[in-house]
Amino acid sequence: MEARRLTESRDYVFTKQPLFIAGKRYEAEQYRMLRAPYSGEVIAEVASANGDETDKAIAAAYEARAVMRRMPAHERAAILERVAEGLKLRKDEAARIIAVESAKPIKYALAEVDRTIQTYKFAAEEAKRIHGETISLDAAPGGEGRLAYTVREPLGVIGAITPFNFPMNLVAHKVGPAIAAGNTVVLKPAAQTPLSAYFIGELFQEAGLPAGALNIVTGPGGVVGDTIVQDDRVVKITFTGSPEVGTRIRAKAGLKRVTLELGSNAALIVDNKVDVERIIPRCVMGAFSNQGQVCISLQRIYVHEAVYEAFTESFAHATSGLRLGDPLDVNTDISAMISEGESKRALSWIEEAINSGATVLTGGSVSNGVLEPTVIVNAEDELKVSCSEVFAPVVVIHKVQSVEEAIARVNDSPYGLQAGIYTPDLNTALQAADELHVGGVLINDIPTFRVDHMPYGGVKQSGLGREGIKYAVEEMTELKLIVINRNV
């Protein structure tokens, strides 16, 4: 890739970044150069851990279990609050790290930092709300004179493996509830976006988190990831990434608990009598924010034939007006994908669609290293751009004759994370809510909507379990029953 200078680039250059183990910077045996996806410039020298170094991180987390288990809820909450406050004070610095290491446009990076602050605040609140219930044992014969109640206890060591697309907030969605519940963590961030994870590690250290409660290990998935997944001291894996990797993790994890937030090809249904012009800006944002590299990025749009022409024309026009360029430029809407290889893959999928008779209304090529936001029509459902997760700034618009047809085509997918429908009709909305086979249905909104305390997860190949702080805490705790016999 041709090197392009990032705006005011020299103030983001990072130094050598070692591992973070047992509350200290830990020098690794090997390091690798990390380059910015947009400019191609070297931005850091990052540790590449081996199996022994990963083992040390797991050992540190295992050793810290007792400290975290005994820590009162109000202290865990206070630590998480201090992390949120520290992040708020360093918001601009955090956003620039995200923008440089992932090429996320700075306006979206700033929004991610805001969400990350909220996520840690939600985690602080949930730390104070972990509780069980009393059980009336005398509802069964022989249960008289007995008192029963349940408590929730931390699991122990949590292995967290996070992706590049939300390198700060998706770390928060794993680390936040883990700490809130009194667990310890071994975190493996994505290879391209480790700097934001180390930044958060620094904030946790400053906030007073006990040594060993959070350990950050960067390196190859086949070494670091496999070591974490297969180690018996790690009792739960929480992973966000591709279905292929998620399947391998589940196969290797044995009896560990596993939460998998995997792929999608999120769909939207647009009913007739919808005011198309009102929803176009929202749809364009949902399709192309972060270069379409979002698990619930709007990829498929099924539009009723009555409004198809108006919607398609307006959507393509709005898309063509998006600005491409430097992620640190506040006016940039679209920047480089996470790697040149991913950009080439997306181009090959677009080429396949064109060769099969589809039409590209706008985009479809690379401009100065940035894949243009692309709108495709007349694409068969069997093409990769329709049936697989493109994870790129590519949208396919389909014409349908009815909402029933659209629901059937949305469901005809191996994925099922979230789906949306725009309709003025309440019965149609409730029909879609009932019949769409996905983890979340958004009525009169795009499937790309997420706030950080809602339950979030999918069905089919989109994953197992739920995120959202309260729901993640439940999956990171063990229910214990206590029975007291008063008859003795």
Side-chain angles (χ1 to χ4, degrees), residues 74-90:
H74 70 86
E75 290 187 16
R76 301 195 302 269
I79 289 170
L80 290 160
E81 282 284 1
R82 287 195 289 270
V83 169
E85 289 304 310
L87 184 55
K88 185 185 298 184
L89 292 173
R90 299 173 66 180

Side-chain angles (χ1 to χ4, degrees), residues 40-321:
E41 294 177 282
V42 174
I43 55 175
E45 191 177 359
V46 180
S48 183
N50 56 36
D52 289 340
E53 291 160 345
T54 307
D55 181 81
K56 285 182 172 63
I58 296 170
Y62 192 76
E63 183 70 20
R65 289 175 310 141
V67 175
M68 287 301 296
R69 182 184 181 90
R70 291 192 301 266
M71 182 180 288
H74 70 86
E75 290 187 16
R76 301 195 302 269
I79 289 170
L80 290 160
E81 282 284 1
R82 287 195 289 270
V83 169
E85 289 304 310
L87 184 55
K88 185 185 298 184
L89 292 173
R90 299 173 66 180
K91 174 180 174 178
D92 290 344
E93 179 185 357
R96 289 179 69 79
I97 291 172
I98 293 171
V100 171
E101 69 177 353
S102 72
K104 178 175 288 189
I106 191 67
K107 60 184 174 183
Y108 295 123
L110 286 164
E112 179 177 349
V113 176
D114 284 337
R115 284 186 58 188
T116 305
I117 293 167
Q118 283 295 314
T119 301
Y120 284 119
K121 283 185 170 292
F122 283 130
E125 293 165 5
E126 290 300 330
K128 303 175 184 179
R129 292 199 282 253
I130 301 172
H131 57 78
E133 61 182 358
T134 58
I135 302 166
S136 301
L137 292 185
D138 62 353
E144 299 90 340
R146 287 173 171 82
L147 171 67
Y149 62 94
T150 60
V151 295
R152 285 197 168 272
E153 298 182 339
L155 294 178
V157 181
I158 306 295
I161 304 174
T162 56
F164 72 83
N165 57 333
F166 286 86
M168 201 164 282
N169 195 37
L170 290 184
V171 164
H173 270 280
K174 301 183 188 309
V175 174
I179 299 302
N183 295 293
T184 61
V185 182
V186 180
L187 169 65
K188 181 198 175 301
Q192 180 57 42
T193 54
L195 302 178
S196 50
Y198 283 119
F199 179 85
I200 290 296
E202 178 185 333
L203 292 182
F204 267 105
Q205 187 177 33
E206 293 173 354
L209 186 70
L214 173 60
N215 307 273
I216 304 172
V217 188
T218 46
V223 176
V224 177
D226 284 358
T227 300
I228 294 171
V229 169
Q230 295 174 342
D231 194 296
D232 290 338
R233 293 168 294 182
V234 179
V235 293
K236 177 180 172 63
I237 301 295
T238 174
F239 168 80
T240 300
S242 71
E244 294 77 18
V245 176
T247 300
R248 292 199 297 271
I249 286 174
R250 193 181 184 194
K252 294 176 180 179
L255 294 178
K256 289 181 175 64
R257 293 192 184 192
V258 177
T259 297
L260 303 175
E261 201 278 280
L262 306 178
S264 184
N265 58 351
L268 173 69
I269 299 169
V270 180
D271 195 7
N272 62 354
K273 299 180 182 178
V274 169
D275 184 347
V276 167
E277 292 303 320
R278 288 187 63 185
I279 69 172
I280 288 296
R282 180 76 172 154
C283 293
V284 170
M285 185 279 295
F288 300 118
S289 62
N290 197 24
Q291 291 77 261
Q293 298 168 130
V294 181
C295 294
I296 42 177
S297 180
L298 178 53
Q299 180 177 333
R300 298 180 290 158
I301 307 177
Y302 296 93
V303 185
H304 193 284
E305 59 186 1
V307 293
Y308 175 82
E309 296 298 335
F311 180 92
T312 302
E313 181 179 350
S314 184
F315 188 93
H317 177 73
T319 299
S320 65

Side-chain angles (χ1 to χ4, degrees), residues 437-471:
H437 188 201
V438 292
V441 177
L442 288 301
I443 295 171
N444 287 329
D445 206 351
I446 54 176
T448 322
F449 173 81
R450 182 184 183 185
V451 289
D452 295 291
H453 61 303
M454 75 186 210
Y456 178 78
V459 299
K460 300 185 280 188
Q461 290 186 26
S462 287
L464 299 168
R466 290 294 181 270
E467 291 192 334
I469 304 302
K470 171 187 174 182
Y471 308 93

Side-chain angles (χ1 to χ4, degrees), residues 10 88 486:
R10 288 304 165 198
K88 185 185 298 184
R486 299 172 60 190

Side-chain angles (χ1 to χ4, degrees), residues 367-386:
S367 175
N368 193 28
V370 177
L371 178 60
E372 299 168 344
T374 302
V375 181
I376 299 174
V377 296
N378 303 321
E380 297 295 327
D381 289 345
E382 295 77 16
L383 293 171
K384 289 188 182 73
V385 291
S386 288

Side-chain angles (χ1 to χ4, degrees), residues 324 334 337 343 346-347 350 364-367 369-374 392-394:
L324 284 58
I334 304 286
M337 291 183 64
S343 183
L347 279 172
I350 295 169
S365 60
V366 171
S367 175
V370 177
L371 178 60
E372 299 168 344
T374 302
V394 178

